[in-house]
Amino acid sequence: MTEVRRAFNAALLHVPHPSPDWGARTAPAGTVNPTVVLITSCAGLFLIAVNTTVINTALNAIADDLRMGSGELSWAVGIYMLAVASFVVLGGRLGDLLGERTVFLGGLAAFSVGALLVATAADQWMVIVGRLVQGTGSALLMPATMAMLRIAFSADRQGFALGIWGATGGIGFALGPLIGGALTDALSWRWVWWGSLIYVAVLALFAAGSLRAMPRPSERPRIDYLGVALLAVSLFGLILALQEGPEWGWGSAPSIAAFAVAAGAGLGLVLFELRTDEPLLHLRLLRKRALLGANVGTFANTLFLIGVIYFFNLYAQAVVTLDCSAMLASVALLPFGLSMFATSLAMGPLADRVGFRWPVAAGLALLGVGGLLLGRLDSASDYGGIWWLLVIVGVGTGITFSAPSAAGLRALPSEHAGEASGIINVVRYVSAALVISLGTILFTEVGSDELNDSLKRAGASAVEEDRLDNVLTGAPSQVSETEAKLGRAAREDFRTGADEGISRGFAAVMLALGIAAFASMAAWLLLMRAGRPAEPQGP
């Protein structure tokens, strides 16, 4: 196996994992069956990958049923990402402390509690809390799925196992919207989570037996609980300030307090992690330009991977725009998902031949071009003018899915691979939370202005802010209720304004992502410029 291919195996989904000499284990209670462990690991990763994207095609139905606005919907999606970002490195350390079997089953238990909360939700806060608990469960599960393979398979077979594991994750990401759309249309959005509960129950029974022979840790590593707390407080404070800032007022006391808490905890995290002997995040590794480049590429990739799926569903399912059903919206996203998956598979052989620098730069350029072109959409646009743009963005997303992190990990000694992938993983999930939060601000601001401008031209009064937030979800009942409060003459202008507002809001987010992609391309080329050492360097 080539050095590049090894780097790709380490980079897939960027899960923090131990270096070969970490986490000594006692002799197993029985013979570990690598095939059964692989099935269990892939089944766990498939659950995580599907549930990262499955909610997006159910958003319209959830908003319609629970009277949720675009702000609450962004919390429901973003808080899952935040929880994973905050606790995924802790999940890996707990595996070293308690054993992968215990952590895997614990992650399934937490995930099932979160799924139950969402499935039985009577209001928006049960959905948000349920997604928080699900994200915590995923943070425990994800490192365990990879660590189990490194324990069960010999070194010469780990590449094979990790390749299947990574492909399973990619398929799960792609199938999530389809599964969500099918269950939402055929049964109910709640069955997205009832279905998860059934899947988890079967997987837990299988894992309890299949992982019984897994060896237990013989050492008790120190866990940086202060680092975990500071990271969580910093991230949650930042997203709270961004999410609620438009409603509180950016200069209000609550907004300033939330930003101050986030900044204080973030500064404390950096100072503490640089001084402790066993940090949660090995920030000193960021002195390596290649690792900085890996994070830049991962950041841009995640903006599109999550941003396109989330905001396209708001746009496509809105009753005043394309008016797609949940299933039809997921089918409409297939050009994005299929092109992304196919291109990501081709990147390994391509990188073997030409390296990482220019293919990743080309991928970032495609993201930029696709974002700028999607930024031209308006209420007159139809799907015929969109699908090929989704292909462009999908190809760019596929090129940059694992290649940037593989380039960064290749430039580091193998003993630092787990530490570096932990940093990249946090960056990926923080980026996901940020694109939902900041994108929602832009989507709502542009959409609100377009809608109220349309009503003003018609001589009707502007729609109140809280009702605007609900209208911009595009949910049928929320649009109809607001429309009913207007005079007959203003209703047509309201529909036209809502159509233009949602279309322009989606376009504004895509335009911003395109600009971010070009900025990331420039940073990538600077950090990975020719002449820099390509082989592993010391810390």
Side-chain angles (χ1 to χ4, degrees), residues 193-260:
W193 284 273
W194 286 123
S196 293
L197 277 169
I198 295 171
Y199 184 97
V200 167
V202 173
L203 178 56
L205 289 173
F206 183 77
S210 66
L211 304 180
R212 190 178 299 277
M214 290 291 290
R216 298 181 179 86
S218 60
E219 300 177 355
R220 298 184 65 84
R222 177 180 172 273
I223 295 180
D224 179 13
Y225 291 110
L226 179 58
V228 173
L230 289 171
L231 176 62
V233 170
S234 178
L235 294 181
F236 278 93
L238 176 61
I239 298 302
L240 176 66
L242 293 174
Q243 287 278 112
E244 302 302 325
E247 181 178 343
W248 290 344
W250 295 111
S252 67
S255 292
I256 294 173
F259 277 122

Side-chain angles (χ1 to χ4, degrees), residues 335-346:
F336 172 75
L338 292 178
S339 58
M340 178 186 74
F341 183 65
T343 310
S344 66
L345 292 180

